[in-house]
């Protein structure tokens, strides 16, 4: 368990901006962002795994847990081998996994969750509009239909939201996702900076 990756989870419903904030955070030295959804979308749709991903995403459903966890493990390991991610120096910013309780339990042996940033929006319609705009901008066919988007929200409420119960309440920090990107980023950084300072200084890695 000592070799677990020090991690901050970006958590929240579809459209709250996990990927947007994660990409910004990942550009900061000492932070490494990995989005499970993004690495799935990079798959060749003609490959076996690509077909499995598209089959489920096109219905707004989660990719099976075995495939998701194994694929995530392979990707994070590959990035450590290539030197893109250095667990001794970098704080892992993770989004898109875990998306249900089974995934949370299975990746416990791989990550040490230091904080969970829960991006919150009570305006579901506003988040759905964000997803529509993102689908057009990024050509994300899995987010292009209203019924798929609402299915994603339903799965979030039934499967993903309960994941928070797997972790201690003291790890969870709520951030208003409806504010501007800059304000949201500022709020997130106020949470992450103490984590970086405390973890890496206490580990003797600064």
């Amino acid at each position: 368990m000592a070799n677990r990756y020090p991690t901050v989870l970006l958590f929240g419903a579809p459209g709250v901006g996990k990927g947007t904030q994660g990409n910004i955070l990942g550009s900061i030295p000492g932070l490494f962002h990995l989005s499970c959804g993004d690495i799935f979308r990079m798959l060749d749709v003609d490959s076996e795994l690509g077909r499995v991903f598209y089959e489920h995403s096109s219905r707004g459903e989660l990719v099976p847990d075995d495939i998701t966890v194994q694929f995530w493990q392979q990707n994070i390991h590959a990035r450590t081998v290539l030197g893109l991610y250095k667990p001794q120096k970098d704080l892992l910013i993770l989004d898109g996994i875990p998306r249900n309780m089974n995934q949370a339990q299975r990746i416990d042996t791989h990550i040490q969750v230091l904080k969970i940033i829960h991006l919150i929006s009570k305006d579901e319609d506003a988040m759905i509009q964000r997803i529509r705009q993102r689908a057009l901008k990024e050509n994300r066919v899995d987010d292009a239909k209203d019924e798929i988007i609402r299915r994603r929200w339903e799965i979030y409420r039934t499967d993903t939201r309960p994941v928070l119960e797997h972790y201690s309440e003291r790890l969870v920090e709520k951030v208003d996702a409806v504010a501007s990107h800059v304000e949201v980023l500022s709020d997130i950084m106020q949470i992450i900076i103490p984590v970086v300072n405390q973890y890496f200084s206490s580990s003797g890695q600064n």
Side-chain angles (χ1 to χ4, degrees), residues 83-147:
L84 300 174
Y85 166 52
K86 303 176 180 64
Q88 295 77 21
K89 297 181 179 180
D90 298 333
L91 178 65
L92 178 61
I93 308 296
L94 190 60
D95 85 73
I97 190 172
R99 287 194 172 181
N100 60 37
M101 197 67 77
N102 183 41
Q103 291 180 14
Q105 293 168 347
R106 292 182 61 169
I107 68 173
D108 271 349
T109 56
H110 302 285
I111 63 173
Q112 179 185 0
V113 177
L114 305 176
K115 217 59 151 170
I116 300 170
I117 297 172
H118 186 191
L119 295 166
I120 295 177
S121 171
K122 296 180 181 179
D123 190 345
E124 181 174 334
D125 289 336
M127 296 301 101
I128 289 174
Q129 181 59 29
R130 270 194 192 180
I131 296 173
R132 289 196 196 103
Q133 293 171 348
R134 181 181 68 189
L136 292 172
K137 183 178 179 180
E138 301 179 10
N139 194 29
R140 287 169 60 162
V141 294
D142 53 321
D143 281 341
K145 298 179 179 178
D146 278 8
E147 60 266 29

Side-chain angles (χ1 to χ4, degrees), residues 60-76:
E61 299 174 352
L62 301 181
V63 177
D65 295 342
D66 285 346
I67 294 174
T68 298
V69 174
Q70 182 178 3
F71 187 55
W72 174 79
Q73 286 179 259
Q74 292 171 349
N75 271 268
I76 195 69

